[in-house]
Amino acid sequence: MQPGVASLDPQGPAAQAIADLWWWMLWLGVAVFLIFAAALAAALFRPRSTDEETRERKPTRRWILWGGVVMPVVVLVFILGLTIRAMRATQTNVPPESLAVEIIGHQWWYEVRYPDEGVVTANELHIPVGRPIALSLTSADVIHSFWVPELGGKMDLLPERANTLILQADEPGTHLSRCAEFCGLQHTRMAMVVVAEPATNFDAWVADRRDAPPEPIDNAAAQGREVFMKADCARCHTIKGTNAAGLGGPDLTHLAGRSTLGAGTVPNTAGQMSRWITDPHAIKNGVKMPGTELTGEEMDALVAYLATLQ
Ligand code: CUA
């Protein structure tokens, strides 16, 4: 899932077009380099003649015409054609059958909304395989950039307007979107898990995510919910089915179903969760979330509650 490798492992039509262009440019570059290296070697190791003036003039002109004018024009026009083809493959016309998803960049996490499905989540993007996804990309603060190398090109998340990016995954798989535009202290820790899955799995995921999480059944979790509402958590976070409706931080309705905390910073485990809530700055310096001063018992209850948010 490293970007440098991932962009040469295309899993969708847009990424395929970009990878094809890349390979054409590589092999054309290699061919041109070899031709000139051979010509240079031939010139260097050729036996010297005594009467160079008369022998050289005509062949030199021919070399300049063919090697310096004709070949670059042919190669560049060819690459221009390939580039236009790749640009068409990564077009931004929204196909009617596409799935609309809104992604809003924040310092340093992603808000993800499925307006037609009524699902809101954070730092995870689930998409059905074989269907075009029309991403509407914006930012709540500074400029970020969305990039899933296996699925397509980069696109900026701008504060002032929405950019559209059409992606499609041809195969199921898990990918990583890393922010591709420097956006402050924790730019490198702004990752999103992208899960491409068969349509039935995707529909099941949507059905799960649409509803409020189950009511806490054991005492610790119920007490943890009280802690959540009393501490300032609810001011910034939303949990469907509760009074928590804050919009400043990630939606936590189905937090337990996500694999990481802090937008890909640490794994979503009970231990990391309590570390994160105690002092998120020790893990991800500069995040907007403040630390808390809870007793050990309160913290255990809170972590138990958050683990029920399936
Ligand atoms: Cu967001 Cu870099």
Short mmCIF file of all heavy atoms in Angstrom, two decimals, residues 181-204:
data_model
loop_
_atom_site.label_atom_id
_atom_site.label_comp_id
_atom_site.label_asym_id
_atom_site.label_seq_id
_atom_site.Cartn_x
_atom_site.Cartn_y
_atom_site.Cartn_z
N GLU A 181 -1.10 16.75 -0.24
CA GLU A 181 -0.80 18.18 -0.29
C GLU A 181 -0.43 18.60 1.13
O GLU A 181 -1.22 18.37 2.05
CB GLU A 181 -2.04 18.96 -0.76
CG GLU A 181 -1.86 20.45 -0.86
CD GLU A 181 -1.12 20.85 -2.12
OE1 GLU A 181 -1.48 20.37 -3.20
OE2 GLU A 181 -0.16 21.64 -2.01
N PHE A 182 0.75 19.21 1.30
CA PHE A 182 1.17 19.56 2.65
C PHE A 182 0.14 20.47 3.31
O PHE A 182 -0.23 21.51 2.77
CB PHE A 182 2.53 20.25 2.64
CG PHE A 182 2.98 20.61 4.03
CD1 PHE A 182 3.40 19.62 4.90
CD2 PHE A 182 2.96 21.92 4.46
CE1 PHE A 182 3.78 19.93 6.19
CE2 PHE A 182 3.35 22.24 5.76
CZ PHE A 182 3.76 21.24 6.62
N CYS A 183 -0.35 20.05 4.49
CA CYS A 183 -1.49 20.76 5.10
C CYS A 183 -1.25 21.03 6.57
O CYS A 183 -2.18 21.20 7.34
CB CYS A 183 -2.76 19.93 4.91
SG CYS A 183 -2.64 18.26 5.57
N GLY A 184 0.01 21.06 6.99
CA GLY A 184 0.30 21.38 8.38
C GLY A 184 1.04 20.26 9.08
O GLY A 184 1.46 19.28 8.47
N LEU A 185 1.16 20.43 10.39
CA LEU A 185 2.01 19.58 11.22
C LEU A 185 1.82 18.09 11.01
O LEU A 185 2.77 17.34 10.91
CB LEU A 185 1.74 19.95 12.69
CG LEU A 185 2.72 19.45 13.73
CD1 LEU A 185 4.12 19.96 13.43
CD2 LEU A 185 2.27 19.92 15.11
N GLN A 186 0.57 17.64 10.94
CA GLN A 186 0.32 16.19 10.87
C GLN A 186 -0.14 15.75 9.47
O GLN A 186 -0.92 14.81 9.33
CB GLN A 186 -0.71 15.80 11.93
CG GLN A 186 -0.22 15.98 13.35
CD GLN A 186 0.94 15.07 13.70
OE1 GLN A 186 1.27 14.14 12.97
NE2 GLN A 186 1.58 15.32 14.82
N HIS A 187 0.37 16.43 8.45
CA HIS A 187 0.03 16.08 7.07
C HIS A 187 0.28 14.60 6.77
O HIS A 187 -0.50 13.94 6.08
CB HIS A 187 0.82 16.98 6.13
CG HIS A 187 1.06 16.42 4.78
ND1 HIS A 187 0.04 16.26 3.85
CD2 HIS A 187 2.19 15.97 4.18
CE1 HIS A 187 0.57 15.73 2.75
NE2 HIS A 187 1.85 15.54 2.92
N THR A 188 1.37 14.07 7.29
CA THR A 188 1.68 12.66 6.99
C THR A 188 0.75 11.69 7.71
O THR A 188 0.66 10.54 7.33
CB THR A 188 3.12 12.29 7.38
OG1 THR A 188 3.32 12.67 8.74
CG2 THR A 188 4.12 12.99 6.50
N ARG A 189 0.10 12.16 8.79
CA ARG A 189 -0.82 11.27 9.49
C ARG A 189 -2.25 11.65 9.13
O ARG A 189 -3.04 12.04 9.97
CB ARG A 189 -0.60 11.38 11.00
CG ARG A 189 0.71 10.75 11.43
CD ARG A 189 0.69 10.55 12.92
NE ARG A 189 1.93 9.97 13.40
CZ ARG A 189 2.71 10.57 14.28
NH1 ARG A 189 2.40 11.74 14.77
NH2 ARG A 189 3.81 9.98 14.69
N MET A 190 -2.55 11.59 7.85
CA MET A 190 -3.90 11.88 7.39
C MET A 190 -4.23 10.83 6.34
O MET A 190 -4.15 11.06 5.14
CB MET A 190 -3.92 13.30 6.80
CG MET A 190 -5.31 13.75 6.44
SD MET A 190 -5.33 15.49 6.03
CE MET A 190 -6.99 15.60 5.38
N ALA A 191 -4.55 9.66 6.84
CA ALA A 191 -4.78 8.53 5.93
C ALA A 191 -6.22 8.06 6.06
O ALA A 191 -6.86 8.23 7.09
CB ALA A 191 -3.83 7.38 6.26
N MET A 192 -6.70 7.49 4.98
CA MET A 192 -8.06 6.95 4.99
C MET A 192 -8.03 5.54 4.40
O MET A 192 -7.40 5.31 3.37
CB MET A 192 -8.98 7.84 4.16
CG MET A 192 -10.37 7.29 3.97
SD MET A 192 -11.58 8.57 3.72
CE MET A 192 -10.97 9.36 2.26
N VAL A 193 -8.70 4.63 5.06
CA VAL A 193 -8.80 3.27 4.55
C VAL A 193 -9.89 3.24 3.48
O VAL A 193 -10.99 3.72 3.72
CB VAL A 193 -9.13 2.29 5.69
CG1 VAL A 193 -9.27 0.87 5.15
CG2 VAL A 193 -8.07 2.35 6.77
N VAL A 194 -9.57 2.70 2.32
CA VAL A 194 -10.54 2.61 1.24
C VAL A 194 -10.81 1.13 0.97
O VAL A 194 -9.90 0.39 0.60
CB VAL A 194 -10.02 3.29 -0.05
CG1 VAL A 194 -11.04 3.18 -1.17
CG2 VAL A 194 -9.69 4.76 0.23
N VAL A 195 -12.03 0.71 1.22
CA VAL A 195 -12.39 -0.71 1.06
C VAL A 195 -13.30 -0.85 -0.16
O VAL A 195 -14.42 -0.35 -0.18
CB VAL A 195 -13.11 -1.24 2.32
CG1 VAL A 195 -13.47 -2.72 2.13
CG2 VAL A 195 -12.24 -1.05 3.55
N ALA A 196 -12.79 -1.52 -1.19
CA ALA A 196 -13.61 -1.83 -2.36
C ALA A 196 -14.15 -3.25 -2.16
O ALA A 196 -13.38 -4.18 -1.93
CB ALA A 196 -12.77 -1.77 -3.63
N GLU A 197 -15.47 -3.39 -2.22
CA GLU A 197 -16.06 -4.69 -1.90
C GLU A 197 -17.23 -4.98 -2.84
O GLU A 197 -17.79 -4.06 -3.44
CB GLU A 197 -16.51 -4.73 -0.44
CG GLU A 197 -17.45 -3.61 -0.07
CD GLU A 197 -17.57 -3.40 1.44
OE1 GLU A 197 -16.98 -4.18 2.20
OE2 GLU A 197 -18.25 -2.46 1.84
N PRO A 198 -17.61 -6.26 -2.97
CA PRO A 198 -18.75 -6.61 -3.82
C PRO A 198 -20.00 -5.85 -3.37
O PRO A 198 -20.14 -5.52 -2.19
CB PRO A 198 -18.92 -8.11 -3.60
CG PRO A 198 -17.58 -8.59 -3.14
CD PRO A 198 -16.97 -7.44 -2.38
N ALA A 199 -20.91 -5.58 -4.31
CA ALA A 199 -22.07 -4.74 -4.03
C ALA A 199 -22.88 -5.24 -2.83
O ALA A 199 -23.37 -4.44 -2.03
CB ALA A 199 -22.96 -4.65 -5.27
N THR A 200 -23.01 -6.56 -2.68
CA THR A 200 -23.82 -7.08 -1.56
C THR A 200 -23.17 -6.73 -0.22
O THR A 200 -23.85 -6.34 0.72
CB THR A 200 -23.99 -8.60 -1.66
OG1 THR A 200 -22.72 -9.18 -1.95
CG2 THR A 200 -24.97 -8.98 -2.76
N ASN A 201 -21.83 -6.85 -0.14
CA ASN A 201 -21.13 -6.49 1.09
C ASN A 201 -21.28 -5.00 1.37
O ASN A 201 -21.46 -4.58 2.51
CB ASN A 201 -19.64 -6.81 1.00
CG ASN A 201 -19.36 -8.27 0.84
OD1 ASN A 201 -20.16 -8.99 0.24
ND2 ASN A 201 -18.23 -8.73 1.34
N PHE A 202 -21.18 -4.23 0.29
CA PHE A 202 -21.32 -2.78 0.45
C PHE A 202 -22.72 -2.43 0.98
O PHE A 202 -22.87 -1.63 1.89
CB PHE A 202 -21.04 -2.06 -0.86
CG PHE A 202 -21.31 -0.58 -0.80
CD1 PHE A 202 -20.43 0.26 -0.13
CD2 PHE A 202 -22.46 -0.04 -1.36
CE1 PHE A 202 -20.68 1.63 -0.04
CE2 PHE A 202 -22.72 1.32 -1.28
CZ PHE A 202 -21.83 2.16 -0.61
N ASP A 203 -23.75 -3.06 0.40
CA ASP A 203 -25.12 -2.78 0.84
C ASP A 203 -25.29 -3.15 2.32
O ASP A 203 -25.97 -2.44 3.07
CB ASP A 203 -26.13 -3.55 -0.01
CG ASP A 203 -26.17 -3.02 -1.44
OD1 ASP A 203 -25.68 -1.90 -1.66
OD2 ASP A 203 -26.66 -3.75 -2.34
N ALA A 204 -24.67 -4.27 2.72
CA ALA A 204 -24.77 -4.69 4.12
C ALA A 204 -24.06 -3.66 5.02
O ALA A 204 -24.55 -3.32 6.09
CB ALA A 204 -24.13 -6.06 4.30
#
